[in-house]
Amino acid sequence: MRGAVSLTIRFFRIMTIPEKTSEIDKNTLQQLAQQLARWAREFISAGRSPFRRVETFVPILTETGDMAPPLVFWINRDSYMAGGAVFFPEESEVSSVPEGQHAADALGLAYYVAWGAKDITLWQRHEKLWEKARTIPVGGNGRPNTVDFHDALMRLMEEMKTYSVLAAVPPDKLTPYYLANLSRATVLSLLPSLTEHFRIHRGMANSDQGGSSAERQALGKAMLTLIRIMALALHDALPKAVQPQKLEEAMGEALAALPGPLPQTLRMSSREPALPEEAQVRLHLLLHRLTQLGIARNPQRAVQALDLLQQQTAPELGTSPLTDSIEPGAETVLLLYPNRILDVKTPQVVVNSPPMLAFQSLLRHVDGIAQPLTSTTDPMALPPDPAPDRVCGSLMDSRLPSAAERQSLAAQLRLSWPARRFRLPPRTPLWAWHMLHLLGLAGDGGHFDLVTPPAWLTSTYGRQLLGLLLENATLKHLRESERGLCLEFSKQQQSDSSVIIKHGTEARSIPNTRLREDHVSLLSLALMLPDAIWNMIEDGRLTVPTTRTWPQPAEQGIFFYSRSSLGRYLWQITSGGRPLPRRTSLRSEVLRKGLPLPGQKALLSLQKLQTEGGGEPSATILDQELALWLGATPELPAANKATPDESRDTDSHQHAEQDLLANVAERVFMDGIPVFPDHYLYDYYRPEMRRFDFEKPLSIDEEFFGTVELKDEQGHKLQVEGMETAQALVLISSLRSGPVELPVDRVIISTILDRYRQDLRKLRSNLVKEIFRRQADPRTAKTLVERLWQQQPLPPWRLIA
């Protein structure tokens, strides 16, 4: 081992160890921990330690939040059996290290190690008190060097052999934080392979590439399976002799035996992709470990562990905190993607992600809390009854539905709006459909408290949605937060009310009657404008024009105004960052977006600034002229411009895409591409052949009593015997022109055609797997699959699928 130390010293820069560990900066601490870990691994690899692994800065959940002990020694990492945790306290002499205590609880230990500048202390818990159990000096009387640290580590590891056994926490006394960390470690280990699995699954499904990202699907599947495992372990409902590779199948059967309503809330959907085999093996190990720990003896502890874990993953699973508590008096409350259970007697309807619904159902079952009247993962699936009189939560699904999905959504809106028909723009995201549906479902006077995505007020669909909202409801509050745009409104008309708009620390009030009469851009302006410019709108120096008030004589002045600093800034807000309007579409665009304009006199004054050649005056001249009419304006943010690096970023993206395609092509087509029919006739000795001539791609026109007529793009026709012969010629003609020879025997043609199609389907399957494995965005992946397929000498996939 001394030789190893000398070798390490030669390749590792010897650190100067400070007199006090409080002087160790973050970088030095990381180097120290990494070096100690290297020495520990050398010792472990020699086979003289009960430890099998050592890690640095492992993230764990503790009572005080996230923590990362500098060193953690593992007896069995997969089973989350820790053997010791090492900390470097800020002072050389300490009574105890609080971080060590919390980490020990989270790792299932009753001791931890505090490594000081001159000695190492092992702290052990006796009942509720922590006491010094052992002290190991580091070096002699002088300043410790690298060799001293190595020797101290060796002595420490010898001591930890004993304490890792004697100071292990009995299963019944393990904290919920330990169970949460055990479960989280399993989930984290599954995510990379599960994400890849879901990417490939989405590609092989060959459906519209909507839905959540593969990363979110992987996390959702891992968490949902974890909750099922915990529920089965709590009820001891899984058969004992389950093969690891058959875990999910056995779970599906065992869930039916759980007490209600768990079989319904935890059941496996028919559309839910199965777990890959390696994931099932890993989860089987977790189930075995939970059974070992006897979690069924303390269900509350197990559910608390799940609660700790779901708090970490709730944002990724699409949930968010409830905006406030539910006031008494509501007959039915609809909760949208809540991150917690609302323990009130008010009847509830809940919309949430599958893992959150499963978790909350299990938590309600264990705690004896009443289940919701209805629970679903899709807001559009909510029944008309009971009509909620309070709706709160978040709507954040910004995916764009396909044409087929839009038709289905429009049909579902007929349940909530039987007397109305809506034509929403194609780029309306799902959350907007959901909000409109919920508005129709709510009872008269129903109160809404929602969080939606930011920056939608100025979009095409946003203006239409706001119009419908103002027509059927009364806005009460509007503000921006870190989570999104917060809306509060009630489903009733209150002409004497005002909406309170929060801008920074200030509150602005706009009567609802004014909102209904004026342009909807007023809301965006009130939400975003600084006081100095908002006051110009309030006192009439700036007004939003209408078709009736459009200043036709000053239209050239309006165009110049849109090129001033103030005009550009206001256009950015009202248009949502779109390019400035062109002269030819100025009137329609300004009226549609609701751009505030100065008075006609100011516009005519701007109009006179046109240069002798008919050109535009500079922005500086325009700003100076506007200041005479409007007063000085505050410094405004610059209009959005393309950065110089955009083209470079595009080139970089294209190069990365080309590299990806080249790598995939090399892997998928490494054995070459089959040539039909040439490569498929080697198994037949001199079959009788027939020659066919054509110059253009062929398509099947019609069939009559076994005779098939083919035609090319110019209408030239060719008759052949048998549909298999026709299909073979269509495939060949998509790649090359004639002449070509095919066997006279139609059985041979049918056989080689089937083999060719099978080979192409296998190639396509491999191509999809490799592309989707490397590309996170499913739409881009689908495009790349088509592009790479088209680049090869292969027939169009539509002829094979």
Side-chain angles (χ1 to χ4, degrees):
M1 184 62 70
R2 287 291 182 184
V5 175
S6 300
L7 186 63
T8 302
I9 291 174
R10 267 184 281 150
F11 286 95
F12 178 79
R13 181 180 300 173
I14 301 177
M15 294 175 294
T16 302
I17 306 300
E19 292 285 354
K20 295 184 178 181
T21 53
S22 60
E23 300 175 17
I24 300 181
D25 59 26
K26 184 177 180 180
N27 185 52
T28 304
L29 178 60
Q30 289 178 341
Q31 292 183 25
L32 175 60
Q34 290 167 1
Q35 181 56 49
L36 292 175
R38 290 190 190 98
W39 288 331
R41 293 185 187 109
E42 290 176 0
F43 184 77
I44 291 170
S45 63
R48 291 176 287 173
S49 173
F51 308 121
R52 291 294 174 264
R53 188 171 175 180
V54 60
E55 289 182 309
T56 60
F57 301 100
V58 181
I60 58 175
L61 300 174
T62 72
E63 189 177 343
T64 57
D66 286 342
M67 188 181 297
L71 284 172
V72 177
F73 292 82
W74 297 101
I75 297 173
N76 188 326
R77 182 66 168 88
D78 290 340
S79 296
Y80 215 76
M81 297 174 62
V86 179
F87 286 83
F88 299 92
E90 294 186 356
E91 300 294 337
S92 56
E93 295 293 337
V94 292
S95 56
S96 182
V97 181
E99 292 85 353
Q101 299 173 19
H102 296 308
D105 288 338
L107 292 169
L109 297 169
Y111 92 103
Y112 67 91
V113 177
W115 189 311
K118 295 184 178 179
D119 54 39
I120 302 169
T121 304
L122 280 71
W123 290 89
Q124 187 173 3
R125 181 173 54 203
H126 294 284
E127 298 300 332
K128 295 184 179 181
L129 298 177
W130 288 86
E131 301 175 354
K132 285 185 179 181
R134 183 80 171 86
T135 300
I136 301 171
V138 180
N141 296 326
R143 192 170 187 174
N145 57 31
T146 305
V147 176
D148 294 329
F149 268 63
H150 175 268
D151 291 343
L153 175 65
M154 296 300 102
R155 293 198 299 273
L156 172 63
M157 292 184 68
E158 289 293 335
E159 291 290 342
M160 287 198 303
K161 286 182 182 180
T162 303
Y163 284 92
S164 63
V165 177
L166 297 181
V169 178
D172 288 342
K173 293 186 177 181
L174 288 169
T175 67
Y177 291 95
Y178 172 80
L179 295 178
N181 282 304
L182 166 63
S183 303
R184 185 170 82 157
T186 300
V187 170
L188 290 176
S189 70
L190 293 175
L191 289 183
S193 61
L194 271 184
T195 299
E196 181 177 301
H197 174 71
F198 273 96
R199 286 181 182 173
I200 295 173
H201 174 80
R202 289 155 70 103
M204 300 303 292
N206 196 30
S207 59
D208 195 336
Q209 301 300 319
S212 302
S213 66
E215 290 78 8
R216 176 171 287 189
Q217 284 184 314
L219 178 61
K221 177 70 174 183
M223 288 296 295
L224 185 54
T225 308
L226 174 64
I227 294 161
R228 289 167 176 158
I229 285 176
M230 194 71 77
L232 292 169
L234 286 175
H235 293 85
D236 195 21
L238 199 65
K240 302 301 180 185
V242 176
Q243 296 181 3
Q245 298 84 353
K246 301 291 185 179
L247 175 65
E248 192 166 35
E249 181 182 340
M251 285 172 54
E253 297 173 358
L255 288 172
L258 294 179
L262 297 182
Q264 291 74 38
T265 55
L266 273 67
R267 70 179 182 273
M268 296 179 184
S269 166
S270 59
R271 295 182 297 175
E272 186 178 335
L275 284 168
E277 184 175 303
E278 60 271 20
Q280 296 193 62
V281 173
R282 185 72 180 85
L283 288 163
H284 184 271
L285 176 62
L286 174 64
L287 178 61
H288 179 69
R289 179 67 174 147
L290 292 173
T291 305
Q292 269 186 339
L293 299 175
I295 65 167
R297 294 191 293 269
N298 191 343
Q300 294 289 347
R301 180 184 57 168
V303 173
Q304 187 179 349
L306 274 181
D307 193 21
L308 292 170
L309 191 56
Q310 72 86 19
Q311 289 175 23
Q312 299 288 317
T313 57
E316 286 75 22
L317 294 175
T319 65
S320 61
L322 292 177
T323 52
D324 59 4
S325 59
I326 302 302
E327 299 174 359
E331 295 181 6
T332 304
V333 60
L334 170 58
L335 302 176
L336 300 170
Y337 305 99
N339 68 337
R340 59 183 173 87
I341 288 178
L342 192 64
D343 189 8
V344 295
K345 294 183 179 179
T346 305
Q348 299 170 28
V349 176
V350 178
V351 177
N352 221 328
S353 62
M356 292 302 297
L357 281 182
F359 164 72
Q360 291 177 358
S361 174
L362 179 60
L363 183 59
R364 288 174 182 270
H365 172 73
V366 172
D367 290 343
I369 301 173
Q371 298 286 341
L373 297 174
T374 304
S375 59
T376 180
T377 60
D378 182 9
M380 302 301 290
L382 289 170
D385 294 317
D389 54 359
R390 185 168 179 87
V391 180
C392 61
S394 60
L395 292 172
M396 304 296 287
D397 196 339
S398 295
R399 290 177 292 143
L400 298 179
S402 64
E405 288 173 323
R406 289 197 301 273
Q407 290 181 353
S408 175
L409 290 167
Q412 289 170 307
L413 283 182
R414 295 175 186 174
L415 295 175
S416 50
W417 297 88
R420 296 285 298 268
R421 295 293 181 268
F422 300 102
R423 295 179 63 85
L424 297 180
R427 295 190 64 78
T428 303
L430 276 173
W431 73 262
W433 290 89
H434 294 164
M435 188 166 81
L436 187 57
H437 182 60
L438 298 179
L439 180 61
L441 286 181
D444 292 338
H447 186 85
F448 285 73
D449 202 341
L450 299 177
V451 180
T452 64
W456 59 268
L457 295 176
T458 56
S459 64
T460 302
Y461 77 86
R463 289 192 298 272
Q464 185 172 341
L465 187 62
L466 273 177
L468 292 169
L469 195 62
L470 294 172
E471 178 186 343
N472 296 277
T474 299
L475 275 176
K476 294 182 176 296
H477 290 91
L478 182 69
R479 65 183 176 87
E480 285 185 326
S481 71
E482 293 181 357
R483 294 161 52 205
L485 186 64
C486 302
L487 292 161
E488 188 178 341
F489 57 91
S490 60
K491 188 180 176 179
Q492 58 186 339
Q493 290 289 333
Q494 295 176 328
S495 57
D496 57 344
S497 65
S498 296
V499 56
I500 305 300
I501 301 170
K502 195 74 177 293
H503 174 77
T505 58
E506 301 295 325
R508 295 168 178 170
S509 176
I510 303 178
N512 273 285
T513 51
R514 182 183 174 190
L515 279 181
R516 296 188 184 101
E517 295 169 357
D518 289 359
H519 199 282
V520 291
S521 67
L522 199 61
L523 277 177
S524 302
L525 295 166
L527 194 65
M528 301 178 66
L529 287 182
D531 289 339
I533 303 179
W534 175 248
N535 290 337
M536 293 181 187
I537 294 178
E538 290 289 82
D539 62 24
R541 283 178 286 171
L542 293 173
T543 58
V544 179
T546 65
T547 53
R548 183 176 57 83
T549 62
W550 180 257
Q552 185 68 36
E555 192 161 295
Q556 181 65 31
I558 297 174
F559 180 78
F560 287 165
Y561 164 73
S562 69
R563 269 56 184 173
S564 68
S565 297
L566 178 61
R568 288 174 181 269
Y569 174 65
L570 291 174
W571 178 259
Q572 290 293 312
I573 292 176
T574 56
S575 72
R578 289 172 176 78
L580 288 170
R582 297 180 179 179
R583 196 186 301 263
T584 54
S585 59
L586 181 69
R587 186 176 188 274
S588 61
E589 284 294 286
V590 169
L591 290 175
R592 192 159 65 94
K593 305 297 186 185
L595 175 68
L597 302 178
Q600 183 165 316
K601 290 182 179 180
L603 292 172
L604 290 171
S605 177
L606 292 177
Q607 193 163 283
K608 294 177 183 178
L609 298 176
Q610 184 168 343
T611 62
E612 293 182 0
E616 299 176 18
S618 67
T620 302
I621 295 176
L622 293 172
D623 293 346
Q624 291 172 351
E625 185 67 21
L626 272 178
L628 298 176
W629 294 90
L630 301 177
T633 57
E635 185 176 349
L636 302 173
N640 294 336
K641 296 180 181 178
T643 62
D645 291 334
E646 277 186 356
S647 59
R648 213 178 319 164
D649 292 342
T650 302
D651 291 342
S652 175
H653 173 74
Q654 291 175 347
H655 287 313
E657 203 169 81
Q658 291 170 0
D659 290 343
L660 185 149
L661 291 176
N663 291 334
V664 171
E666 183 179 359
R667 185 179 183 88
V668 173
F669 304 115
M670 61 185 301
D671 294 329
I673 294 174
V675 177
F676 183 81
D678 309 44
H679 291 173
Y680 296 86
L681 292 173
Y682 296 144
D683 294 336
Y684 301 92
Y685 182 72
R686 294 185 178 181
E688 184 182 353
M689 306 294 284
R690 178 177 298 154
R691 177 187 171 114
F692 299 92
D693 286 299
F694 50 86
E695 295 183 359
K696 303 288 184 180
L698 300 171
S699 62
I700 296 175
D701 189 24
E702 59 182 17
E703 180 187 11
F704 185 75
F705 286 102
T707 299
V708 183
E709 189 170 79
L710 303 172
K711 67 176 182 179
D712 63 19
E713 296 170 348
Q714 296 179 347
H716 299 141
K717 295 185 178 181
L718 174 68
Q719 287 188 342
V720 299
E721 294 297 322
M723 181 59 71
E724 59 282 334
T725 305
Q727 291 173 347
L729 288 173
V730 168
L731 284 175
I732 297 170
S733 69
S734 68
L735 298 174
R736 64 185 189 272
S737 59
V740 66
E741 291 188 340
L742 288 175
V744 173
D745 190 337
R746 289 162 55 181
V747 175
I748 296 179
I749 295 179
S750 178
T751 302
I752 64 175
L753 185 60
D754 287 344
R755 288 173 53 199
Y756 182 49
R757 286 169 171 164
Q758 289 174 8
D759 289 343
L760 293 185
R761 291 189 182 104
K762 184 177 180 180
L763 275 177
R764 181 78 173 198
S765 175
N766 292 337
L767 175 60
V768 167
K769 288 179 181 178
E770 294 301 326
I771 290 286
F772 275 77
R773 179 179 288 126
R774 292 166 168 81
Q775 173 55 249
D777 179 50
R779 295 183 187 273
T780 303
K782 188 176 182 180
T783 301
L784 294 178
V785 167
E786 294 300 329
R787 184 184 305 173
L788 189 51
W789 185 267
Q790 292 170 6
Q791 290 175 0
Q792 310 301 318
L794 292 163
W797 179 244
R798 59 182 171 78
L799 299 178
I800 309 298

